Amino acid sequence: MKLSQMFFVTLREEPSDAEVRSHALMVKAGFIHKLAAGIYVYGPLMWRVLRKVETIVREEHDRAGCQELLMPALQPREIWDESDRWDRYVADGILYHFQDGRGRDVCLGPTHEEVITDFVKARLTSYKQMPFTLYQIQTKFRDEIRPRFGLMRGREFVMKDAYSFDVDAETMAKSYQMMREVYRRIFSRCGLRFTPVEADAGAIGGSGSEEFMVDADTGEDAIAVCHDTGYAANVEKAVSRIPAPPEPPAEVAMHKEPTPNAKSCDDLLALFPDLPVERMLKTVIYKVTWADREAPVAVMARGDRELNEVKVLNHLDALNVELADEKLVKEVTGAEVGFAGPIGLKDGVRLLADASVEGVKGFLCGGNETDTHYLDVWFGRDLEQPETVDFGLVQEGDQTVDGNGTITITRGIEVGHIFQLGTKYSESMNLRFAAEDGKLGPAWMGCYGIGISRTAAAAIEQGHDENGMIWPLPIAPYSAMLIQMRHGDEVQDALAQEMHDALEGAGIDVLWDDRKQGAGAKFKDADLIGVPLRIVVGRDAKDRRVEWKPRSGGETEVIGADEAIERVKAAVAEARSA
Ligand code: ATP
Ligand code: MG
């Protein structure tokens, strides 16, 4: 392809609203164009990248025996009521929904569990038909509260979603393991550095799930990893060793102490310097929402542990958990924010505690009265110990649960997510089959997503420098670029044409910068769009020699034109056979 014939426009400046490099570079290079928040046109170069990612995704799914289909983006409410997800997705604010001309509720699919279950239901009768896995590559719609980072978090984006169907839990787990391998192969073939991590299943539900995280400092997800034990989990889901309770003090009666303006552990430490933070128990008031009601819930934790709201939400099987506002705190505790405690909460307020409070004796807690705390409180003596659950937010330096290693927190971009759904959708939507013994039972499902557009953005987060993108060869918009120094120079014209034709003839996608521009502008654009393999056709063309100048840096070499072609062929062949 000749660059002079392409609709190719790069911007002089980077966009002012870009917070991450991938976003800034994609806009500057004309790969994407913002139509509205989180909604983008994929320009021709971007589309080539997306198609390459899709090709790898298709090849690996097909290799594993999955079948591709295409489902509608427009979905009727009824199937979402069957699975009981309409209200949750509406409450989350993520669902694009509206009434059609006949007054029927419809939505634009944020995911397709309901549609696939409906499709399979009409066809599945016998155990003999399973296992099978279906997938599609399609546009998804999610009204993200904070669309940002360009393609990373769009409101309309391209996803691959796959669904497996099995006769029982054991074979479902096998299908899941197979897809896990498919995912490993896909992201390796895309040329990305990534980590699979244990994950929270969120609104999709089911029993087990893992996310594939592209390692990147700019990632939105925090990941707990332990290099000693190999443990890796999204912080939303991660667990660590519950710390042992501190030494108890001498037993004295519980007493109230004035603590003016002391709202945080630090304030309290200043007042009671001898009291270890492990014996300060905080009580956090949450506003919890379920489909049919809303209620405050109080959760206790040790002063040295943070609470993980995702764990609280899961334990309560709620739709939403958020910190209570001042008004609600006052209603529940009778005090201003900062003095909540377990004793004297308004009747009927549910009290829970993180496992870290177990066995803590002689502790400090809020007095449910402004500027007041209780000291020397003992569970069992002064109040019942509330139900304890692991609600802890894992932190840097925590021990792993088995005690064999130390956890560090890193960041990543979630590009894929796989779930063992179990029978959640088949039960609620009545997808049944006749087993070998003739009995009817629900199918066991798994679902598997890859953000195609997010994967492309993640590749740039991993591969760029101050001048532009550096694409991994397998998903680069073009594999190779011929940069011709002087347009109209007969010798250069002829050699570039010959090399271009030879590469295209070998099935290699090559971009030939044959424009009239000066060399500086050409190199600048080449650096920006990041084609990995580059050949400069310049003054040595008369000797059939060219410069070999890979985008990732390294020495520029002067080599024979034929050797340059061989090098490109070899690199592309290697990338394709990976
Ligand atoms: P997140 O936690 O980032 O909001 P999610 O867990 O809601 O994502 P899934 O339902 O697991 O997303 O979707 C499967 C995949 O689709 C994700 O792993 C991600 O790669 C991609 N994806 C999800 N939301 C978006 C979005 N708003 N823009 C681009 N890609 C997305
Ligand atoms: Mg996810």
Side-chain angles (χ1 to χ4, degrees), residues 16-17 52 56 67 71 81 88 118 208 219 272 275 306 353 375 412 421 430-431 477 481 486 494 511 535 551 560:
S16 56
D17 63 342
K52 284 197 180 177
I56 292 173
Q67 290 167 270
M71 294 181 269
D81 278 337
R88 174 164 189 169
D118 194 70
F272 308 105
L275 189 68
E306 294 299 324
L375 266 83
L421 292 173
N430 202 22
L431 163 62
M481 187 154 181
R486 279 178 66 120
L511 181 60
I535 297 166
R551 172 64 181 93

Side-chain angles (χ1 to χ4, degrees), residues 9 38 42 143 193 241 347 353 407 457 483 535:
V9 183
Y42 307 123
D143 195 358
R193 296 185 302 280
R241 188 170 211 153
D347 279 351
I407 288 173
I483 306 168
I535 297 166

Side-chain angles (χ1 to χ4, degrees), residues 324-347:
D325 60 15
E326 274 175 50
K327 186 164 157 272
L328 183 60
V329 169
K330 202 148 200 178
E331 250 173 63
V332 169
T333 67
E336 275 170 35
V337 176
F339 304 95
I343 303 165
L345 282 173
K346 195 180 87 178
D347 279 351

Side-chain angles (χ1 to χ4, degrees), residues 302-334:
R302 257 167 59 164
D304 57 335
R305 286 255 286 189
E306 294 299 324
L307 287 168
N308 179 338
E309 288 170 16
V310 176
K311 290 184 182 174
V312 175
L313 178 126
N314 287 340
H315 180 73
L316 295 171
D317 199 14
L319 297 181
N320 189 43
V321 166
E322 63 188 60
L323 284 178
D325 60 15
E326 274 175 50
K327 186 164 157 272
L328 183 60
V329 169
K330 202 148 200 178
E331 250 173 63
V332 169
T333 67

Side-chain angles (χ1 to χ4, degrees), residues 422-464:
T423 58
K424 173 173 166 162
Y425 296 91
S426 46
E427 297 261 17
S428 59
M429 296 185 67
N430 202 22
L431 163 62
R432 286 172 206 283
F433 67 96
E436 214 169 342
D437 60 8
K439 279 200 189 119
L440 277 186
W444 289 73
M445 294 169 58
C447 77
Y448 316 89
I450 290 181
I452 302 282
S453 39
R454 189 185 282 181
T455 299
I460 301 177
E461 286 306 315
Q462 268 190 354
H464 67 262

Side-chain angles (χ1 to χ4, degrees), residues 144-210:
E144 298 278 358
I145 304 160
R146 294 219 308 144
R148 59 194 186 138
F149 301 160
L151 297 194
M152 214 77 91
R153 184 167 297 285
R155 293 195 292 162
E156 175 176 331
F157 59 96
V158 184
M159 196 203 282
K160 183 286 310 182
D161 45 329
Y163 305 87
S164 63
F165 295 84
D166 276 282
V167 296
D168 57 26
E170 210 176 302
T171 50
M172 170 187 73
K174 267 195 202 147
S175 297
Y176 177 88
Q177 287 308 330
M178 175 195 87
M179 289 304 280
R180 199 171 183 275
E181 278 317 301
V182 168
Y183 272 47
R184 278 185 173 280
R185 288 189 59 92
I186 287 171
F187 295 119
S188 302
R189 280 190 59 191
C190 285
L192 298 167
R193 296 185 302 280
F194 63 95
T195 313
V197 305
E198 290 175 23
D200 180 67
I204 304 280
S207 50
S209 91
E210 280 162 290

